[in-house]
């Protein structure tokens, strides 16, 4: 008896895992949830999405502990546990060190990378084009890998990495690219959806991650407010920790609304069909563009001279939007 193995670290990865399970009509499925972020909202969102009855086994692994020695031994224990089974298909949403070690050490027939938002585009362009064995590894990382080698564990997978993705990607070699059209979610939840003409703007932690300065972010939000001529609901990203300055902008036409669910599921679970969605380059724009094809979705393009440092990865995302999606790109410099 062979299982299918799903490794996830974020709510979006879990959504895509559920979709993959339905798309490939898989039975006997093990879900491994790896908590990596030091903030509770990510964990709470994942926990709300998990229906234990839909999985044959759910394994939770908390990698947020500060004791590196304890984490090291617990990682070995997790890999040993997963080695007790063999798998038909293995799905993961990223190539963290623990995921790569699991891929390298369990028996499986196929490996699929699922979408992890817009980072998937850059990961595919830059990381998957080079075999792991050919990548240069810093000495400090090599030393960490040698510790696992001493326990008989490999740290570098040699498998072909196939894709289960919503993005239009061209194969590098002999990998399989399977299009994720979110069919399960659309067929299951959209039949009763009601049209909603409110503008939903998805916030991003751009000042927190030092893409742009805070004052620039606030100037952009004000410009976007002026761009729309109807009510706007600003939905903060879970990593936006201080938004008092955004809340201070509230009036009859601009409201800040928090959600405990990933925005894709917030609309689905409340039976809304949003007709207007905006953000900068949020990963959710791609997913929402597939789920709600009738919606007008706008990506407001950040000016290069306003970025703290050049970000080619952000350019890749905007370029992909313009080339391969119906998302409208609006340069913020033109507002």
């Amino acid at each position: 008896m062979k299982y299918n193995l799903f490794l996830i670290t974020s709510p979006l990865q879990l959504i895509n895992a559920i979709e993959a399970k339905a798309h490939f009509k898989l039975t006997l499925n093990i879900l491994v949830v790896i908590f990596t972020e030091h903030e509770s909202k990510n964990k709470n969102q994942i926990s709300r999405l998990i229906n234990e009855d839909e999985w044959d086994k759910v394994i939770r692994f908390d990698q947020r502990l500060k004791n590196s020695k304890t984490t090291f031994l617990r990682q070995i224990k997790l890999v040993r546990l997963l080695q007790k089974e063999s798998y038909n298909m293995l799905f993961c949403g990223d190539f963290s060190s623990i995921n790569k070690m699991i891929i390298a050490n369990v028996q499986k027939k196929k490996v699929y990378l699922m979408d992890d938002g817009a980072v998937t585009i850059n990961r595919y362009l830059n990381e998957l084009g080079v075999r792991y064995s050919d990548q240069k590894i810093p000495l400090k990382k090599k030393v960490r890998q040698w510790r696992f080698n001493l326990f008989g564990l490999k740290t570098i997978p040699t498998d072909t990495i196939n894709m289960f993705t919503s993005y239009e990607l061209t194969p590098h070699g002999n990998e399989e690219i399977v299009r994720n059209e979110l069919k399960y979610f659309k067929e299951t939840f959209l039949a009763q959806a009601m049209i909603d003409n409110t503008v939903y703007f998805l916030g991003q932690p751009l000042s927190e991650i030092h893409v742009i300065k805070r004052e620039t972010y606030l100037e952009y939000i004000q410009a976007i407010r002026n761009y729309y001529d109807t009510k706007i609901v600003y939905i903060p990203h879970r990593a936006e920790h201080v938004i008092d300055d955004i809340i201070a902008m509230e009036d009859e036409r601009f409201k800040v609304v928090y959600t405990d669910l990933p925005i894709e599921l917030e609309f689905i679970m409340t039976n809304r069909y949003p007709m207007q969605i905006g953000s900068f380059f949020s990963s959710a724009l791609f997913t929402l563009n597939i789920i709600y094809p009738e919606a007008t979705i706008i990506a407001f393009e950040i000016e290069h001279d306003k970025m703290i440092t050049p970000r080619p990865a952000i350019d890749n995302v905007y370029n992909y939007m313009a080339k391969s999606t119906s998302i409208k790109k609006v340069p913020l410099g033109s507002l």
Side-chain angles (χ1 to χ4, degrees):
M1 180 173 63
K2 289 189 177 182
Y3 286 89
N4 302 292
L5 183 62
F6 296 80
L7 312 174
I8 68 104
T9 62
S10 73
L12 179 58
Q13 291 180 21
L14 179 54
I15 289 172
N16 287 319
I18 294 169
E19 190 69 37
K21 190 155 59 77
H23 178 90
F24 291 100
K25 298 179 174 59
L26 302 178
T27 58
L28 299 175
N29 302 301
I30 296 175
L31 176 67
V32 179
V33 185
I34 302 172
F35 296 111
T36 59
E37 295 187 15
H38 289 273
E39 47 110 356
S40 59
K41 194 166 186 180
N42 186 64
K43 183 175 182 179
N44 292 340
Q45 287 185 345
I46 292 174
S47 298
R48 285 191 63 181
L49 286 173
I50 296 175
N51 182 342
E52 302 271 353
D53 295 334
E54 293 180 352
W55 302 91
D56 293 276
K57 186 183 298 184
V58 177
I59 299 170
R60 294 171 173 83
F61 181 81
D62 198 330
Q63 198 161 262
R64 301 172 299 169
L65 301 179
K66 293 183 179 180
N67 188 323
S68 60
K69 182 178 179 181
T70 301
T71 300
F72 166 67
L73 294 174
R74 290 171 60 250
Q75 287 175 333
I76 292 174
K77 185 177 180 180
L78 174 63
V79 175
R80 296 292 191 216
L81 173 65
L82 296 176
Q83 283 181 318
K84 293 180 179 179
E85 305 289 349
S86 58
Y87 306 95
N88 281 316
M89 304 171 80
L90 185 154
F91 295 85
C92 66
D94 58 58
F95 290 127
S96 62
S97 57
I98 182 62
N99 278 358
K100 286 193 285 190
M101 188 162 57
I102 292 170
I103 294 171
N105 289 281
V106 301
Q107 294 184 19
K108 72 285 179 194
K109 290 183 177 179
K110 277 189 173 183
V111 178
Y112 284 88
L113 175 67
M114 302 179 294
D115 288 344
D116 189 29
V119 70
T120 301
I121 298 171
N122 289 293
R123 181 173 291 139
Y124 192 75
L125 290 174
N126 302 318
E127 190 172 356
L128 290 182
V130 181
R131 291 186 62 84
Y132 288 115
S133 56
D134 297 331
Q135 293 180 9
K136 294 182 179 180
I137 302 173
L139 180 59
K140 186 176 181 180
K141 191 171 183 179
K142 282 186 178 180
V143 172
R144 290 200 300 266
Q145 292 179 349
W146 289 337
R147 293 187 305 166
F148 292 106
N149 297 154
L150 291 174
F151 283 81
L153 295 177
K154 295 174 286 186
T155 56
I156 301 175
T158 57
D159 307 79
T160 296
I161 306 298
N162 303 292
M163 301 287 296
F164 180 62
T165 179
S166 298
Y167 302 106
E168 293 184 5
L169 302 175
T170 303
H172 289 304
N174 62 348
E175 74 272 25
E176 179 184 1
I177 297 181
V178 179
R179 190 73 187 274
N180 176 9
E181 297 180 339
L182 296 166
K183 184 178 179 181
Y184 170 78
F185 278 95
K186 288 193 287 189
E187 291 183 348
T188 304
F189 297 106
L190 290 192
Q192 305 301 320
M194 301 292 290
I195 297 297
D196 184 349
N197 288 311
T198 300
V199 174
Y200 292 96
F201 187 85
L202 313 182
Q204 292 186 251
L206 301 186
S207 58
E208 288 87 344
I209 62 175
H210 308 296
V211 174
I212 55 178
K213 294 179 179 179
R214 187 63 182 176
E215 53 266 36
T216 302
Y217 188 84
L218 296 176
E219 289 171 3
Y220 279 162
I221 296 301
Q222 187 60 55
I224 291 166
R225 283 189 58 177
N226 296 335
Y227 176 84
Y228 289 107
D229 60 357
T230 186
K231 180 181 177 181
I232 301 174
V233 171
Y234 180 97
I235 301 176
H237 188 277
R238 65 178 185 273
E240 287 185 86
H241 300 303
V242 180
I243 64 162
D244 291 347
D245 43 14
I246 302 291
I247 294 174
M249 296 182 182
E250 285 191 314
D251 55 26
E252 292 182 355
R253 293 182 58 249
F254 185 84
K255 298 293 182 183
V256 176
V257 176
Y258 287 89
T259 173
D260 291 327
L261 288 171
I263 188 60
E264 300 91 338
L265 286 185
E266 178 68 23
F267 292 138
I268 285 173
M269 300 307 290
T270 53
N271 292 324
R272 283 178 282 173
Y273 195 116
M275 295 303 294
Q276 298 191 77
I277 303 166
S279 188
F280 297 100
F281 52 90
S282 170
S283 301
L285 296 183
F286 294 97
T287 312
L288 294 169
N289 189 48
I290 295 170
I291 299 176
Y292 303 105
E294 301 302 317
T296 298
I297 299 180
I298 296 177
F300 291 91
E301 186 175 20
I302 298 169
E303 298 163 280
H304 280 105
D305 61 355
K306 295 294 180 69
M307 292 187 186
I308 295 173
T309 57
R311 300 284 184 120
I314 294 176
D315 291 336
N316 288 340
V317 174
Y318 281 125
N319 291 337
Y320 180 87
M321 286 179 179
K323 180 181 177 182
S324 302
T325 77
S326 60
I327 297 171
K328 181 181 177 181
K329 187 169 67 171
V330 174
L332 281 159
S334 67
L335 300 187

